[in-house]
């Protein structure tokens, strides 16, 4: 076990492309998978260079890039654009693209068409879509075209108007049971992983034990096979969003604010540019 663990974390391996098989090996070896969102070239390059295993071109771009209240307004064209911006910055990470609201629900042909467009027009490696049993036919059809699919259970933000709130899901036994059943269905269908969002840590641990594909948690406790966060939250760029599951590793909003104030002061004072910054 320890040699397997070491082999996944050596520097040499950090230059090898991450595939869906790599994630499965990491799960088996007990090496936690680190996943983060990316929507543009510059950030993708930094995150990939730092060793993030999976980059998610998430439909959270609707919130953090476009300023929408929900993920519902973002379109397939927007998602394709963001994925096209991310791919040139990536050498190692597996790039997964969210299929946005309205591009796969209730119409398997449309679902397949949306997934094919993402793969063909962006060069991404996989798609993610929300839902278990309700999305099963769409998932099967996409998988039948050879496109890897990641599932997403628990709090599924595209259904926010059904839930009415972003509170923790599956606290009640009936919904917890649905999550358990959905996870098994997604594994049986052939998904290579499942995001578990905002569910009790004990349920996430149980689901992770019960299936043999990696689970990636967000607000789902420490026992999942890996973790995902929205990069802007982790970096402290979204200061007005403070759920318990976000750990801030930097305060970039303050750092950027101070840098910009300093720049304005220098411009006003005529001290920027200096002679050695001029031609
Ligand atoms: O869109 C997104 O960022 C996501 C993560 C929260 C998992 O789906």
């Amino acid at each position: 076990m320890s040699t397997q663990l070491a082999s996944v974390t050596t520097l040499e391996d950090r230059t090898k492309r991450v595939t869906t098989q790599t994630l499965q090996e990491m799960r088996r070896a007990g090496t936690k998978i680190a996943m983060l969102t990316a929507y543009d070239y510059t950030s993708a390059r930094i995150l990939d260079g730092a060793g993030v295993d999976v980059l998610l071109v998430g439909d959270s771009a609707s919130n953090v890039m476009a300023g929408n209240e929900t993920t519902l307004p973002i379109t397939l064209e927007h998602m394709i654009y963001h994925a096209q911006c991310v791919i040139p910055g990536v050498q190692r990470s597996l790039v997964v693209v969210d299929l946005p609201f309205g591009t796969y629900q209730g119409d398997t042909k449309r679902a397949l068409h949306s997934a094919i467009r993402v793969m063909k027009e962006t060069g991404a490696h996989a798609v993610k879509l929300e839902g278990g049993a309700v999305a099963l036919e769409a998932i099967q059809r996409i998988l039948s075209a050879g496109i890897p699919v990641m599932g997403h259970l628990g709090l599924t933000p595209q259904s926010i108007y059904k839930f009415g709130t972003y509170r923790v899901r599956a606290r009640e036994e009936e919904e917890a049971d649905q999550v358990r059943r959905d996870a098994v269905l997604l594994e049986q269908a052939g998904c290579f992983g499942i995001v578990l969002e905002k569910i009790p840590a004990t349920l996430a641990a149980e689901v992770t034990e019960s299936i043999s594909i990696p689970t990636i948690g967000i607000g789902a406790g420490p026992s999942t096979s890996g973790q995902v966060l929205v990069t802007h939250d982790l970096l402290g760029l979204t200061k007005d969003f403070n759920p318990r599951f976000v750990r801030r590793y930097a305060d970039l909003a303050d750092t950027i604010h101070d840098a910009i104030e300093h720049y304005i002061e220098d411009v006003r004072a005529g001290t920027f540019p200096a002679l050695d910054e001029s031609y």
Side-chain angles (χ1 to χ4, degrees):
M1 178 67 87
S2 59
T3 48
Q4 257 180 315
L5 247 174
S7 78
V8 182
T9 51
T10 55
L11 265 182
E12 188 191 312
D13 277 359
R14 286 186 49 179
T15 62
K16 274 200 204 146
R17 258 206 183 280
V18 177
T19 65
T20 56
Q21 288 75 25
T22 317
L23 302 184
Q24 185 56 258
E25 282 161 26
M26 291 175 78
R27 190 199 75 87
R28 250 186 262 125
T31 306
K32 297 277 188 181
I33 298 162
M35 170 162 154
L36 282 174
T37 60
Y39 320 106
D40 68 280
Y41 167 75
T42 305
S43 335
R45 199 156 173 231
I46 297 169
L47 301 181
D48 180 74
V52 172
D53 304 302
V54 184
L55 284 179
L56 172 66
V57 184
D59 59 358
S60 50
S62 178
N63 310 108
V64 291
M65 301 305 287
N68 295 312
E69 207 175 305
T70 73
T71 56
L72 274 63
I74 201 160
T75 65
L76 189 60
E77 271 64 34
H78 293 143
M79 293 304 297
I80 287 174
Y81 170 73
H82 285 297
Q84 285 170 339
C85 295
V86 163
I87 286 289
V90 175
Q91 289 188 338
R92 175 185 171 273
S93 314
L94 181 84
V95 178
V96 181
V97 181
D98 265 338
L99 290 188
F101 177 68
T103 66
Y104 62 92
Q105 291 95 339
D107 181 348
T108 62
K109 192 170 169 193
R110 177 151 195 215
L112 177 60
H113 182 68
S114 304
I116 287 178
R117 277 201 63 196
V118 166
M119 301 299 283
K120 237 183 177 7
E121 296 177 35
T122 73
H125 312 125
V127 297
K128 171 166 87 58
L129 51 101
E130 297 181 2
V134 289
L136 193 63
E137 282 180 36
I139 289 172
Q140 283 166 333
R141 192 141 183 196
I142 296 169
L143 284 164
S144 72
I147 300 171
V149 177
M150 179 171 246
H152 185 154
L153 300 174
L155 178 68
T156 45
Q158 292 178 14
S159 304
I160 186 58
Y161 290 116
K162 183 177 96 184
F163 297 145
T165 138
Y166 285 102
R167 274 204 293 270
V168 177
R169 303 305 312 173
R171 281 198 194 277
E172 308 298 328
E173 201 42 39
E174 197 181 327
E175 197 178 336
D177 245 352
Q178 187 65 55
V179 171
R180 289 183 192 102
R181 283 196 302 272
D182 281 345
V184 172
L185 275 182
L186 293 183
E187 176 181 21
Q188 285 171 349
C191 287
F192 70 87
I194 305 176
V195 166
L196 296 175
E197 179 163 355
K198 244 183 157 179
I199 61 171
T202 48
L203 175 62
E206 202 190 309
V207 169
T208 301
E209 271 295 302
S210 74
I211 57 176
S212 56
I213 54 172
T215 56
I216 309 289
I218 173 163
S223 301
T224 48
S225 323
Q227 298 291 329
V228 57
L229 282 176
V230 169
T231 301
H232 289 59
D233 297 337
L234 169 159
L235 293 177
L237 285 162
T238 47
K239 284 181 75 94
D240 44 0
F241 182 64
N242 286 301
R244 181 204 292 215
F245 64 80
V246 169
R247 184 179 294 178
R248 299 214 186 276
Y249 288 84
D251 272 312
L252 285 199
D254 288 345
T255 305
I256 293 171
H257 181 96
D258 292 352
I260 301 306
E261 273 189 350
H262 197 167
Y263 164 75
I264 294 168
E265 269 170 35
D266 286 356
V267 171
R268 299 261 196 272
T271 56
F272 175 80
L275 275 184
D276 61 358
E277 289 161 326
S278 310
Y279 299 97

